[in-house]
Amino acid sequence: MSRADEIFETEQEISPAEFRDERSSRGKSSKYRQFREVAKQLDSIDDGGSVKKYEELTETEVSSIRNQILQLVDEDKDRAEREFRATRKKMKDGGKDKTNEDGEQLYYLYIYRQ
């Protein structure tokens, strides 16, 4: 049996309520909602506005904050036209990727308004 067949055999039908329950974050990213307010208060960097920089964030933290910022973006706009941005960059320590005590990659996160 091919892997595709194995995957196909795991198919299940679930209700929309079960789907929402399984996909919900259970508040994990909502505790980062305050970063939306940070983004809203920024002036456009094209007009000399500032960029907020955060350090030593894990992938999970970066993802949760980015999800909050992306909720500010009008869904009709394509990626190139996003007004609110949250971008990351790997932290380095002597040329090597910087990690925390759990071995997780650490990042800088930049929040700005285009």
Side-chain angles (χ1 to χ4, degrees):
M1 179 182 286
S2 74
R3 179 64 183 139
D5 291 333
E6 290 174 16
I7 294 169
F8 188 74
E9 294 211 356
T10 68
E11 180 182 287
Q12 301 173 38
E13 187 168 322
I14 62 173
S15 71
E18 289 174 297
F19 172 73
R20 283 189 292 275
D21 185 51
E22 288 185 17
R23 294 282 300 143
S24 71
S25 67
R26 291 171 180 63
K28 181 173 82 174
S29 66
S30 64
K31 67 182 175 181
Y32 297 98
R33 188 167 285 151
Q34 65 210 38
F35 289 93
R36 270 195 238 174
E37 296 308 312
V38 169
K40 283 184 197 177
Q41 293 173 13
L42 293 172
D43 290 328
S44 169
I45 60 172
D46 295 334
D47 295 329
S50 62
V51 177
K52 298 292 183 178
K53 177 183 176 183
Y54 301 91
E55 297 183 3
E56 298 195 359
L57 301 177
T58 64
E59 175 70 31
T60 300
E61 292 166 330
V62 167
S63 177
S64 295
I65 294 168
R66 289 173 87 180
N67 284 339
Q68 292 297 322
I69 302 301
L70 288 177
Q71 289 179 13
L72 296 172
V73 177
D74 182 353
E75 292 181 9
D76 292 336
K77 292 185 177 181
D78 68 21
R79 186 174 191 89
E81 294 180 3
R82 289 184 177 159
E83 177 180 4
F84 298 97
R85 308 261 182 155
T87 60
R88 69 180 185 182
K89 180 181 177 184
K90 283 184 179 181
M91 294 186 77
K92 299 286 186 177
D93 187 15
K96 296 178 76 177
D97 290 352
K98 187 172 181 180
T99 59
N100 63 14
E101 58 276 355
D102 296 327
E104 296 175 292
Q105 173 68 53
L106 295 176
Y107 295 89
Y108 294 109
L109 179 70
Y110 306 91
I111 298 175
Y112 57 99
R113 197 170 188 166
Q114 198 71 28

